Amino acid sequence: MNAELLWYVARASGLVLLPLFTAVVVLGVLTRGRRRPAGSPRFATLALHRSLALAALAFVAVHVGSVVADSYVDVTLVDVVVPFASGYRPYWTGLGTLALLLLAALIGTSLARVRLGQRAWRGVHALSWVFFALTLAHGLGAGSDTRTWWGLALSGACAVAVALAVVLGRSRPRWRPVDPPRRPAVLEGAHR
């Protein structure tokens, strides 16, 4: 495969991953907080969360595969699983490796959720915040397009979306539901 094409595939897949991961995290947070779009059942939000996570997994495979195959960057298969070992931007690539390892843990525990139990699964799944932060930092430091105005705007929008989801997901209404209005006693006697 052409080296220039691999470079474009690596860049494009990385840029697609950030909004995909953002959507997965936002849906996960809102579902956990019992929030969802009006009129949509909870299972639909969960199904969308899972489907986007699977799509993101496919893009991760494309991203990692194209980076390893690209001869311009010095990233090997060992660098994919050993953090901070890469010759190409070792710190930022290492953050991506940590994110990938954490993603493997998130996926593995989700597949074994029934055997692990809800409490253990939630404990590991809570690391999704760390995963998102690592992914965002990796993109900002290792990505070639994330330093452009539009790359920074995309990263900022994704960070804001996750932060807003956290605020909405953690907030509880401070008001009680209003009781239905009662009829005045005079009218209640008239209808008997």
Side-chain angles (χ1 to χ4, degrees):
M1 190 180 268
N2 181 345
E4 188 175 347
L5 178 62
L6 284 172
W7 184 66
Y8 281 119
V9 169
R11 288 170 57 200
S13 58
L15 286 168
V16 168
L17 278 168
L18 184 59
L20 263 178
F21 284 143
T22 301
V24 170
V25 171
V26 166
L27 284 169
V29 169
L30 295 180
T31 302
R32 166 116 168 59
R34 307 288 192 261
R35 310 255 181 186
R36 59 188 173 278
S40 68
R42 185 167 187 249
F43 73 86
T45 307
L46 286 171
L48 182 59
H49 172 72
R50 288 183 189 125
S51 296
L52 287 176
L54 286 173
L57 189 58
F59 274 94
V60 166
V62 169
H63 181 66
V64 170
S66 61
V67 168
V68 169
D70 188 1
S71 60
Y72 176 75
V73 294
D74 184 21
V75 178
T76 66
L77 284 174
V78 171
D79 301 332
V80 172
V81 293
V82 178
F84 311 107
S86 173
Y88 179 77
R89 298 182 181 173
Y91 177 74
W92 302 110
T93 304
L95 293 180
T97 300
L98 289 174
L100 184 63
L101 295 172
L102 193 49
L103 179 62
L106 291 167
I107 292 168
T109 56
S110 290
L111 292 173
R113 183 178 181 174
V114 174
R115 292 178 188 231
L116 285 175
Q118 186 76 5
R119 188 175 190 165
W121 175 81
R122 265 192 212 274
V124 174
H125 226 66
L127 296 174
S128 297
W129 308 108
V130 176
F131 166 76
F132 182 79
L134 288 170
T135 301
L136 186 63
H138 165 73
L140 287 169
S144 55
D145 294 311
T146 50
R147 294 188 194 108
T148 62
W149 70 266
W150 59 268
L152 291 171
L154 176 66
S155 298
C158 289
V160 167
V162 169
L164 285 174
V166 170
V167 169
L168 285 173
R170 297 214 179 249
S171 68
R172 300 279 185 248
R174 289 191 160 64
W175 44 268
R176 290 180 339 133
V178 177
D179 292 328
R182 296 186 57 126
R183 293 184 186 176
V186 173
L187 293 177
E188 282 187 21
H191 290 294
R192 288 189 187 160

